[in-house]
Amino acid sequence: MRFDIITCQPDLLESPFSHSIVKRAQQKNLVEIHLHDLRKFAINKYGQIDDYAFGGGAGMVMMIEPIDKCISALKAERNYDAVIYMTPDGQTLNQQLVNQFSLLNNVIILCGHYKGVDERVRQQFVTHEISIGDYVLSGGELGAAVLADAIIRIIPGVLNDESSALTDSFQDGLLAPPVYTRPADYKGLKVPDILLSGDQPKIEEWRFEQAIQRTKQRRPDLLGE
Ligand code: ADE
């Protein structure tokens, strides 16, 4: 899967994609991530990519021309399955959406800043508008990193078997059950006996019950309650 991320702050995105699972996914050639500095498509030599809002009001608006130029240059090279705009007024991201995005091949992610982008960008180029939650970030970059990370970790081959994404919270509509590791007894704090029993069917049953209980307590909305 290929990600082309359009941003006016590429530095912000270098680090999230240079570690751990996401880094390994790139090394295994399962994922390509390309950062594009929007300022390279600025309308003048001062690097201008934003301007005052027509009609007045506080905050700058990202201009259509630099974004058009950047997206058009990318589209001249290959076809894209989605142009995703990161914005607090988009559809709230969830695992189901992440799963759908993970089936795509080439994706552009556009990071907003300031007051957002000229509405015509959304009308002309954007196919999906995604929010990572009901709060406002200073830009779409952290949202783009969250989205890309969530997608990349479920691409087949990215995680090894022991950390299979199929047992993640939300994948079966439930929160994940509690997990424990050694020691079995830490200062009197004991691991539930069932997990030490070696009885795998019983352990799976226990985990399922725990997942349901945890979901009921913390996220009854996931169970439609
Ligand atoms: N940009 C600013 N706030 C955002 C949010 N909550 N989700 C995605 N992009 C954003």
Side-chain angles (χ1 to χ4, degrees), residues 154 159 163-169 171-172:
I154 59 165
L159 292 185
S163 46
S164 164
L166 294 174
T167 58
D168 286 344
S169 279
Q171 274 303 5
D172 52 5

Side-chain angles (χ1 to χ4, degrees), residues 135-165:
Y135 42 82
V136 179
L137 302 163
S138 18
E141 283 75 12
L142 296 179
V146 166
L147 174 62
D149 184 289
I151 293 172
I152 289 167
R153 65 190 299 284
I154 59 165
I155 291 174
V158 168
L159 292 185
N160 46 30
D161 265 359
E162 313 96 79
S163 46
S164 164

Side-chain angles (χ1 to χ4, degrees), residues 85-181:
Y85 173 49
M86 302 308 301
T87 175
D89 62 1
Q91 187 177 3
T92 309
L93 188 63
N94 59 27
Q95 191 63 47
Q96 204 184 331
L97 271 171
V98 169
N99 293 350
Q100 285 167 16
F101 285 134
S102 76
L103 302 175
L104 305 180
N105 288 320
N106 298 325
V107 168
I108 292 175
I109 304 180
L110 172 64
C111 303
H113 252 263
Y114 321 114
K115 273 277 161 211
V117 297
D118 187 307
E119 188 64 18
R120 291 166 293 184
V121 169
R122 301 170 77 152
Q123 291 162 349
Q124 291 299 310
F125 305 118
V126 170
T127 60
H128 300 75
E129 301 187 330
I130 296 295
S131 162
I132 61 160
D134 289 344
Y135 42 82
V136 179
L137 302 163
S138 18
E141 283 75 12
L142 296 179
V146 166
L147 174 62
D149 184 289
I151 293 172
I152 289 167
R153 65 190 299 284
I154 59 165
I155 291 174
V158 168
L159 292 185
N160 46 30
D161 265 359
E162 313 96 79
S163 46
S164 164
L166 294 174
T167 58
D168 286 344
S169 279
F170 305 111
Q171 274 303 5
D172 52 5
L174 295 173
L175 300 184
V179 291
Y180 299 84
T181 187

